[in-house]
Amino acid sequence: MSELSEEMVAELLSLEKRNLIKNPHGAEQFEGWEITENGGSQWRVEELPGDCGKEFPDETVQSYFATSFELCLKKQVLDLRAEGYSEELLDTVQPKITVQDWYVGRSDCGCIYQLSVSLLNESQETVQDFKPDPVSLEPENSDCSWSQVTHTFEGYGPGVRFVSFEHGGQDSKYWDGWFGVRVTNSSVEVQP
């Protein structure tokens, strides 16, 4: 890596590690989210712990997003420049970008969870992505505690300008209502 300019050093020092996801646990219903799939009884926000659920490890999180019996997906596309990260910083330093998500099934119905996160260029074409295999959650094989998935992007090369974060799922028994996967406390952080 070449020597950093004084301006870039000042920018790095001024950046705080913060969650770029807006409304990560539904406190403002679906504000900030684009619903890309809204199957079954559609998305809904519920209060923790919810029917047949467990408390979340962080007591400040009071709600979650619940999916239904057909696929439910929602996403945010984050503009890194609008969030205060300069093109020079993104291209030269290529700071680590860490994504996290929390998910859980109910104790009375199986479900499927999926996550797709992509680093995008100016034209919103994929530079690098993280798309783990969908996770099947069955109550007989799990204690139905909240699970966390984390991934850190690094060394992704110049040109990244956006992060696309999309997650969701559905139940596996096609029961009417909100028996699918529950998601909350999603985050995307640029590491200064």
Side-chain angles (χ1 to χ4, degrees):
M1 183 183 329
S2 63
E3 197 167 312
L4 300 177
S5 68
E6 287 183 32
E7 293 83 13
M8 198 173 313
V9 170
E11 180 180 352
L12 278 169
L13 293 173
S14 72
L15 295 174
E16 290 182 34
K17 188 170 102 172
R18 60 189 169 91
N19 186 2
L20 302 181
I21 293 283
K22 311 297 184 259
N23 188 25
H25 41 82
E28 291 100 31
Q29 293 295 307
F30 295 96
E31 186 72 30
W33 291 97
E34 174 190 349
I35 305 294
T36 55
E37 295 286 342
N38 210 13
S41 299
Q42 303 182 340
W43 280 99
R44 142 170 136 166
V45 175
E46 297 180 347
E47 297 299 314
L48 279 158
D51 293 337
C52 302
K54 290 198 174 181
E55 293 294 336
F56 191 74
D58 177 349
E59 63 187 38
T60 64
V61 176
Q62 298 293 312
S63 55
Y64 59 86
F65 298 96
T67 64
S68 190
F69 62 92
E70 290 179 344
L71 186 59
C72 292
L73 295 172
K74 62 185 179 60
K75 78 174 180 177
Q76 289 188 26
V77 177
L78 308 167
D79 182 339
L80 296 174
R81 289 170 299 181
E83 294 291 344
Y85 303 97
S86 71
E87 291 182 11
E88 182 183 13
L89 175 78
L90 293 168
D91 293 346
T92 306
V93 175
Q94 298 172 27
K96 292 179 182 177
I97 300 173
T98 300
V99 298
Q100 295 182 40
D101 202 20
W102 289 84
Y103 63 92
V104 72
R106 292 171 52 114
S107 63
D108 60 352
C109 184
C111 61
I112 299 164
Y113 164 78
Q114 64 186 65
L115 172 67
S116 177
V117 184
S118 300
L119 302 184
L120 308 174
N121 65 17
E122 181 71 35
S123 303
Q124 296 199 14
E125 297 165 327
T126 300
V127 173
Q128 203 175 99
D129 64 358
F130 172 66
K131 189 174 183 178
D133 291 335
V135 177
S136 290
L137 301 166
E138 296 298 332
E140 58 271 10
N141 300 327
S142 166
D143 69 355
C144 298
S145 293
W146 286 90
S147 296
Q148 182 183 37
V149 59
T150 302
H151 178 76
T152 300
F153 293 97
E154 51 188 316
Y156 42 80
V160 170
R161 300 295 179 259
F162 300 91
V163 178
S164 172
F165 180 100
E166 183 176 49
H167 67 171
Q170 66 187 78
D171 81 44
S172 59
K173 298 186 189 267
Y174 302 98
W175 290 354
D176 190 23
W178 297 272
F179 294 88
V181 71
R182 299 162 174 192
V183 293
T184 197
N185 214 36
S186 310
S187 69
V188 172
E189 294 179 344
V190 177
Q191 308 296 318

